[in-house]
Amino acid sequence: MENSNNNLFIEISKAADFFKSKDNFVILTHMNPDGDTLGSGFGLAMLLDRMGKKSTVICSDEIPQKYEYFTSLAPQNADFNKKTTVVAVDVADVKLLGRLEEKYAGSVELCIDHHFSNIGYAEATYLDSNAAANCECIYDLAKALGVEIDKDIALALYTGISTDTGCFRFSNTTAKTHRIGANLMEYGIDTAEINRIMFETKSRIRVELEKMALDAMEFHFDGKCAVITVTREMYEKTGCKDEDLEGITSISRSIEGVIVGVTLREREEGGFKISVRTYPPVDASAICKRVGGGGHIRAAGCQLGPEYNAKQAVAEMLMHVKAVMEEDFAGTVTDK
Ligand SMILES: [Mn+2]
């Protein structure tokens, strides 16, 4: 299968051959890193280490402290004096490389991803859009490579799978997801502790910010759409950074009757980072695609530039939500 860029989509056995044939890797993760891109990156780094190969994981943004229990376990030993082989994990589009885009966008030799919206920017791509988390792909890669998974690798991969599935709750979760999760548990990892850190713990400043954001929440289209806008003022008043807001996108959709949740976060440099979460029949990626973004059917993202103020950005998104709802419901949707 080839995409419009004529870049190649490859089988996992070919991806395994690729890793066997090289020795010195740079592993790129996406900006605003989450558990899945980090679990994939550091999990892959550990697999490569067990094969006697060198690698370093890099990310545009600072890696949140809470992932240290596995990120600290991977040797970061790529030799930058020699030629490195650049791979990307869980990165659907070069735009998502953030500050690394300029340097690396044209040199990614292999991408391992699970987003069906992957634009095919790498020379070769292993894509499994049925995988709930990219860490499932890394797990399959370990099997294809014949590398024994160990407790440290299991910590990384389990974290990615658990976080991308909302702790095995989201509709992307498959029987295979559970099987892999169960298999990883058998390496003796403390899954209750991982899930406590990932899902049960919020900082005080995060709670302060949530109070403000909930207070300003809007409902549209007969209560089917909830919009949360996190303004710079909210960041400044609470002292929150972007890394403190992971998972905030799930709030809007958790409200009874809401099938489209839109969360806008105002960026420091102006403009908005927007996350859309939906329930059937609404396609989140279709909404985001209309403004140059993409993602999964129930979880997608896009951006609007600094020419938009908060009110205009919300209006712009509501227009696209309305259009996609009308397509998906095959009827007119009015704002009430
Ligand atoms: Mn992912």
Side-chain angles (χ1 to χ4, degrees), residues 30 34-37 40 89-91 113-115 131-135 160 163-164 172 296:
H30 66 68
D34 60 12
D36 192 33
T37 200
S40 295
V89 287
D90 199 36
V91 182
D113 192 19
H114 70 127
H115 297 90
N134 197 53
C135 281
T163 52
D164 254 25
N172 57 359
H296 305 287

Side-chain angles (χ1 to χ4, degrees), residues 45-330:
M46 288 189 254
L47 287 176
L48 293 170
D49 175 68
R50 309 305 185 257
M51 297 165 73
K53 298 173 187 291
K54 292 182 156 64
S55 72
T56 292
V57 180
I58 54 176
C59 185
S60 171
D61 303 310
E62 202 180 320
I63 294 172
Q65 183 75 26
K66 66 175 177 179
Y67 298 108
E68 205 194 353
Y69 66 86
F70 69 86
T71 59
S72 63
L73 303 174
Q76 297 292 289
N77 55 6
D79 183 350
F80 287 95
N81 294 316
K82 290 192 190 139
K83 190 204 171 294
T84 54
T85 299
V86 180
V87 300
V89 287
D90 199 36
V91 182
D93 189 321
V94 284
K95 284 189 289 191
L96 301 174
L97 291 172
R99 283 192 288 265
L100 302 174
E101 181 182 353
E102 205 183 333
K103 184 167 180 193
Y104 289 107
S107 55
V108 181
E109 291 186 42
L110 177 65
C111 172
I112 299 176
D113 192 19
H114 70 127
H115 297 90
F116 74 81
S117 61
N118 187 295
I119 63 165
Y121 60 89
E123 272 175 49
T125 302
Y126 171 69
L127 182 74
D128 180 2
S129 58
N130 292 317
N134 197 53
C135 281
E136 288 186 25
C137 303
I138 303 296
Y139 179 92
D140 287 340
L141 178 68
K143 299 288 165 190
L145 286 166
V147 177
E148 193 74 47
I149 289 172
D150 56 34
K151 187 178 177 181
D152 292 359
I153 296 170
L155 276 176
L157 299 186
Y158 181 89
T159 301
I161 292 171
S162 181
T163 52
D164 254 25
T165 58
C167 208
F168 301 86
R169 288 181 303 124
F170 298 159
S171 63
N172 57 359
T173 309
T174 65
K176 182 180 172 184
T177 312
H178 281 286
R179 280 190 201 102
I180 295 175
N183 187 297
L184 294 172
M185 279 182 87
E186 288 176 336
Y187 292 94
I189 57 174
D190 187 345
T191 56
E193 176 66 4
I194 293 171
N195 290 322
R196 186 186 68 76
I197 295 168
M198 294 300 142
F199 298 103
E200 307 282 341
T201 311
K202 281 180 192 174
S203 64
R204 282 276 295 276
I205 56 173
R206 156 75 177 258
V207 174
E208 287 301 322
L209 186 139
E210 275 185 20
K211 274 162 66 181
M212 291 179 199
L214 286 175
D215 211 38
M217 182 164 58
E218 295 174 23
F219 292 94
H220 296 272
F221 312 127
D222 207 13
K224 290 189 179 66
C225 175
V227 181
I228 290 177
T229 307
V230 181
T231 61
R232 280 327 297 175
E233 196 189 344
M234 295 178 193
Y235 281 101
E236 279 149 25
K237 274 193 176 154
T238 58
C240 278
K241 289 190 233 145
D242 245 332
E243 63 182 67
D244 299 309
L245 299 192
E246 204 183 311
I248 199 163
T249 51
S250 63
I251 294 176
S252 57
R253 196 180 58 169
S254 69
I255 302 157
E256 193 173 21
V258 171
I259 53 171
V260 182
V262 182
T263 307
L264 298 94
R265 281 178 270 178
E266 192 174 3
R267 295 180 308 200
E268 220 172 337
E269 65 273 27
F272 295 84
K273 181 179 183 287
I274 298 154
S275 306
V276 177
R277 299 289 181 269
T278 61
Y279 284 124
V282 183
D283 182 343
S285 71
I287 295 169
C288 292
K289 228 179 172 172
R290 295 171 64 100
V291 272
H296 305 287
I297 188 159
R298 302 285 167 249
C302 58
Q303 307 206 18
L304 287 174
E307 64 275 21
Y308 290 85
N309 65 28
K311 215 175 157 189
Q312 292 163 328
V314 170
E316 175 82 21
M317 289 313 296
L318 287 174
M319 183 176 81
H320 299 300
V321 168
K322 182 178 191 300
V324 172
M325 278 174 79
E326 286 180 344
E327 271 168 40
D328 291 341
F329 284 110

